[in-house]
Amino acid sequence: MSEVMDYSSRLTDPHSRKFETFSYLPRMTADQIRRQVEFIVSKGWNPAIEHTEPEEATGSFWYMWKLPMFGETNVDKILNEAQLCHNLNPNHHVRLIGYDNYRQSQGASMVIYRAPGFE
């Protein structure tokens, strides 16, 4: 059996904070981000993009990038909006959300672009 290790996340160190499942993994590649968008579209979920300052990433309020893309199925359009948000907010984390209309909740939520210095 493997040894359980302590994870050194501290409130006093913003670089050590984790804010969602994928943040424990290395940054996603462009292909991995595309596959996540394809998954959201395949489920019929409405994509949305949000961004925030790294020190606020653990809070419940993130800035909405435009409105959710209701009914959008073009993966390239969704990726272009995410890239535009990242380009205009280079020091923010940017996350992709898939809203599930049937369950009235988020079916997916992941940070796809991290601010510089946050691995």
Side-chain angles (χ1 to χ4, degrees):
M1 177 178 255
S2 64
E3 183 179 329
V4 177
M5 297 173 50
D6 177 34
Y7 183 77
S8 58
S9 179
R10 302 291 180 258
L11 288 176
T12 55
D13 179 13
H15 284 70
S16 73
R17 295 183 204 153
K18 300 300 178 186
F19 33 82
E20 45 84 23
T21 304
F22 291 149
S23 67
Y24 289 88
L25 301 173
R27 289 178 189 250
M28 281 193 263
T29 65
D31 184 54
Q32 290 170 325
I33 294 170
R34 174 175 280 283
R35 283 187 272 152
Q36 293 298 325
V37 173
E38 289 169 350
F39 175 77
I40 287 170
V41 168
S42 74
K43 291 289 195 178
W45 297 341
N46 293 308
I49 299 166
E50 294 180 338
H51 62 98
T52 195
E53 298 88 350
E55 57 273 9
E56 302 296 327
T58 56
S60 58
F61 178 79
W62 285 48
Y63 307 108
M64 184 176 284
W65 175 256
K66 302 182 180 179
L67 292 173
M69 293 172 263
F70 298 107
E72 183 60 66
T73 59
N74 185 319
V75 173
D76 290 323
K77 283 185 180 180
I78 298 165
L79 288 170
N80 287 341
E81 283 297 326
Q83 185 65 51
L84 183 60
C85 178
H86 176 60
N87 291 348
L88 294 176
N89 301 284
N91 295 318
H92 286 193
H93 295 313
V94 176
R95 75 177 168 194
L96 172 68
I97 297 170
Y99 287 107
D100 183 342
N101 285 343
Y102 182 74
R103 291 190 173 91
Q104 296 291 301
S105 65
Q106 292 182 4
S109 177
M110 69 211 68
V111 173
I112 56 174
Y113 295 110
R114 299 179 194 173
F118 288 84
E119 296 301 321

